Amino acid sequence: MNLITVSGPPSSGKTAVILKTAETLMQRGVKIGAVKFDCLHTDDDLAYEKAGIPVKKGLSGQLCPDHYFVSNIEAVLEWGLKENFDLLVSESAGLCNRCSPYIKEIKAICVIDNLSGINTPKKIGPMLRMADIVVITKGDIVSQAEREVFAARVHSVNPAAIVMNINGLTGQGAYELSTLLFSPDKHIDSLKGRKLRFSMPSALCSYCLGETRIGESYQMGNVRKINLNEN
Amino acid sequence: MASREFLLKSTPMELLRQFPFLNSFFQGQTIDLERSKQSTLQEILLEMDESSQEDKAFDADHFLEQLLDFITQMQTFLGNDQLTVDSLTILPGHDKSGVPEHFTELLFRKSTITSIVGPTGSGKSRLLADIEWVAQGDTPTGRSILINNEKPSSDWRFASGKKLVAQLSQNMNFVMDLSVAEFLELHAKSRMVHNETEVIARIIAAANELAGEKFLPSSPITSLSGGQSRALMIADTAMLSSSPVVLIDEIENAGIDRKKALQLLVGEEKIVLMATHDPILALMADQRIIIRNGGIHAVIHTTEGEKAMLHELEEADRKLQQLRNMLRAGQVLSTT
Ligand SMILES: Nc1nc2c(ncn2[C@@H]2O[C@H](COP(=O)(O)OP(=O)(O)OP(=O)(O)O)[C@@H](O)[C@H]2O)c(=O)[nH]1
Ligand SMILES: [Mg+2]
Ligand SMILES: [Zn+2]
Ligand SMILES: [Zn+2]
């Protein structure tokens, strides 16, 4: 079974791109399963089901969804193996710009959209910097110049990645992406001992652990104060 | 060629002097390289303790690798920029039912216009995707694409900043919160053109030629009218886009001189493809491709008879336009 991790800011078009790509793979007889990691709520499972793709969803609740991802991806992989998928796609909402769910040697795709603003590529951190493939969506509604500027910004933060423009609505470019995602001779049977591409900061302060009260005496652990004197 | 050791021994300042394009790369980093002009990269990286690396989501090894990648790619990119695309050739594949396409090869030269006709869903997007991906018999249609009559390098697929097709469609809008001049400057910077000010002035002048009502360099791009936006997009694509092929998806006949727009693209040596069902536009093309059931069904070279008809149609169009203007101005309609 192949495994790929797809990540990106909320509503950037991850599900749309995965579904269009999966469609072309399924036509070629590839059996696909999906898992969606999110924080509080997702309807993505319904979208996958409707497309005939078996799906599991995991909600991290108060935890960072990427931390939650690492602790659960092994179990999900086992589910995928048991179901005999050829390709298991993991979709994670990139809510924490500091973390990313990418594992070394497991294909990592970041989906980011043209509407998110040209400074976004710089802001979103390892999720974009460490990806193998960067998919840019929603090019159908912005100008050519804006697409070129956006792609150049992406390139400057991740020069090694393959950058592809895909239309999540029409699926233009999805067939091409599919050829980069699946290789029949690749087999991921276990993730034991594999490493994350980038370390994730742990729960650092009392608020990470669920504290809700405001005030000096509730702040524990690694707490840092804003400097209001400096400009 | 830059090596890892060389990079480590240089200061960011020295690197910038040697590779001016690194500016955008440095700006994209979370660490502040500008401030440390005296220290070499080695020193800067050593100085960052683990927790400040954590803080900035920074990985020194990865940073060096990316820096090397960026320099190598930009050097190839800048070196290849002169390589012009004179022609594009499609070698036949088959339609959705597997029926082979009839032509032996289909040639698109620079400075020519090809119109594409066929109902929605007939395979226009697939054709375009084949061109964008420089298909090599490895897409659902089985078509292959040649550039300058040769099998193209895979750079056209994978290198960022080297895309074969630029697209213009009716649904596209400007979304950035910038003035026309600022916007063009941003685009020019990302393309690293030398004569920035001159190019920007030329684009604004050309766009104003195409649009009925003029706009200023200081106008916000999001406040432009439909015709003005379209005109600016076309002029910008003609003069500043790196892509040799321009696909136009139906230009509306409002607020923009379509003939001049096409002439501008042709004058800038673009290979123009135009999806349209408007007879005036279709006849402005040198040839037209008929798409049916996912395949190229026929290729028609615009005949002399058709060209003659174009004059009549343009005359009728002009009259209609005149009537529209009179109507808008609250006048009694009459043709003169
Ligand atoms: N115009 C346009 N809309 C798109 C494109 N891709 C996706 N969308 C739309 O953007 C919205 C969000 O797409 P999704 O695929 O649900 O995004 P997502 O990243 O999976 O979102 P979450 O999983 O909720 O974070 C949907 O309404 C899509 O139809 C595109 O290329 N063009
Ligand atoms: Mg989704
Ligand atoms: Zn996190
Ligand atoms: Zn915390």
Side-chain angles (χ1 to χ4, degrees), chain A residues 4 7 12 42 46 48 58 78 93 114 151 164 172 179 186 194 197 210:
Chain A
I4 58 170
S7 188
S12 59
T42 183
L46 303 178
Y48 286 113
E78 264 161 42
N114 272 302
M164 300 185 71
Q172 190 173 316
T179 62
K186 186 157 184 184
R194 280 185 199 262
R197 295 193 183 194

Side-chain angles (χ1 to χ4, degrees), chain A residues 10-16 36 44 91 138 140-141 167-169:
Chain A
S11 297
S12 59
K14 298 178 291 293
T15 307
K36 171 69 190 283
D44 282 356
E91 177 189 341
K138 304 188 192 175
D140 53 322
I141 43 187
N167 183 328
L169 298 182

